[in-house]
Amino acid sequence: MKTSLKVAIIGLGNIGKVVAKNLVNGNQPIIIASRKLEDAQALALQLGKLATAVETVEAIKAADIIILSIWFNTIQEFFKTYAKELQGKTIIDPSNPIAPDENGGFKKIIGENESAGQLNSAILPQDAILVKAFGTLSAASLENASAQTPEKAVLFYAADNNSIDNIIERLIVESGFEAVKVGGLDQAIRIEVFGDLHEFGAIGKTVNVKEAREKI
């Protein structure tokens, strides 16, 4: 029998909304929180009985796994604000360290060889665990490729703590994808924007498991 997993999605950016929808479609109950409670309540109403909207602090306290859907440059402040509540939690970080450039595209806002995963893991609240996942595809691809047939698309993830791999992979599968681990957080740069395994990097598209393993 599958154990119950309490999952909170904090923030309702494009990625967060799609991940919430995909998890509900996979029969995973979720807790939703945003800066405006009414926004979270509206999404929960849309998603149905498996989604519950609460204030951010309540969502963090209730959850085993927290999926962040907030901008990279706001995560440090988020960790400070909720340092106590985040202690010992597993935090899934889909963030990409980018900002609009002057040509209508995007640019990286940290060092060329730096990753959001490593920078965020260095400022984690006490005993918290960081995983990079759910950020390797655009929101459109996350929505359109979920539960595709005949072969599922892959979501890559990176984590230092091997003991949580089964839980992370379960969430990825429930969201309609196959999970492929690229390694620890020292490999997170590969699955962030412009990395060789990101849709907006060298790989350039969604891939199946066979194609993914050929690239790693």
Side-chain angles (χ1 to χ4, degrees), residues 102-117:
E102 58 278 1
N103 302 314
F106 289 92
K107 62 184 177 182
K108 195 168 180 177
I109 57 174
I110 57 178
E112 183 179 352
N113 297 315
E114 290 182 317
S115 77

Side-chain angles (χ1 to χ4, degrees), residues 154-186:
V154 160
L155 283 181
F156 296 103
Y157 75 100
D160 287 339
N161 191 321
N162 295 330
S163 68
I164 59 170
D165 286 0
N166 287 342
I167 291 175
I168 302 305
E169 292 183 5
R170 169 179 154 185
L171 284 179
I172 289 174
V173 169
E174 286 175 343
S175 72
F177 292 85
E178 293 287 358
V180 174
K181 187 175 185 179
V182 299
L185 291 173
D186 61 345

Side-chain angles (χ1 to χ4, degrees), residues 24-209:
V24 165
N25 287 343
N27 207 36
Q28 170 62 51
I30 57 171
I31 304 162
I32 304 170
S34 184
R35 283 178 297 179
K36 295 181 179 178
L37 179 59
E38 57 266 33
D39 291 344
Q41 290 170 330
L43 181 60
L45 185 64
Q46 177 185 332
L47 293 177
K49 62 182 181 180
L50 290 179
T52 304
V54 298
E55 297 283 2
T56 297
V57 67
E58 294 176 52
I60 296 171
K61 287 179 178 179
D64 305 307
I65 306 284
I66 295 156
I67 302 173
L68 296 182
S69 180
I70 61 179
W71 288 101
F72 165 76
N73 58 10
T74 67
I75 289 177
Q76 182 173 358
E77 187 61 34
F78 179 85
F79 283 173
K80 284 183 180 178
T81 301
Y82 300 105
K84 181 179 179 181
E85 292 82 6
L86 288 166
Q87 286 182 17
K89 301 289 185 177
T90 296
I91 301 167
I92 296 179
D93 170 22
S95 72
N96 283 292
I98 56 173
D101 65 16
E102 58 278 1
N103 302 314
F106 289 92
K107 62 184 177 182
K108 195 168 180 177
I109 57 174
I110 57 178
E112 183 179 352
N113 297 315
E114 290 182 317
S115 77
Q118 287 186 296
L119 293 176
N120 288 334
S121 69
I123 57 171
L124 278 174
Q126 184 178 352
D127 297 325
I129 297 170
L130 189 87
V131 178
K132 286 296 294 186
F134 292 108
T136 61
L137 296 176
S138 66
S141 292
L142 267 179
E143 184 166 25
N144 297 331
S146 177
Q148 73 176 26
T149 57
E151 292 184 282
K152 287 185 178 180
V154 160
L155 283 181
F156 296 103
Y157 75 100
D160 287 339
N161 191 321
N162 295 330
S163 68
I164 59 170
D165 286 0
N166 287 342
I167 291 175
I168 302 305
E169 292 183 5
R170 169 179 154 185
L171 284 179
I172 289 174
V173 169
E174 286 175 343
S175 72
F177 292 85
E178 293 287 358
V180 174
K181 187 175 185 179
V182 299
L185 291 173
D186 61 345
Q187 299 298 305
I189 193 170
R190 301 184 67 193
I191 61 174
E192 295 173 10
V193 168
F194 308 131
D196 66 303
L197 297 177
H198 194 280
E199 182 182 8
F200 297 144
I203 206 164
K205 61 175 185 175
T206 60
V207 294
N208 60 33
V209 170

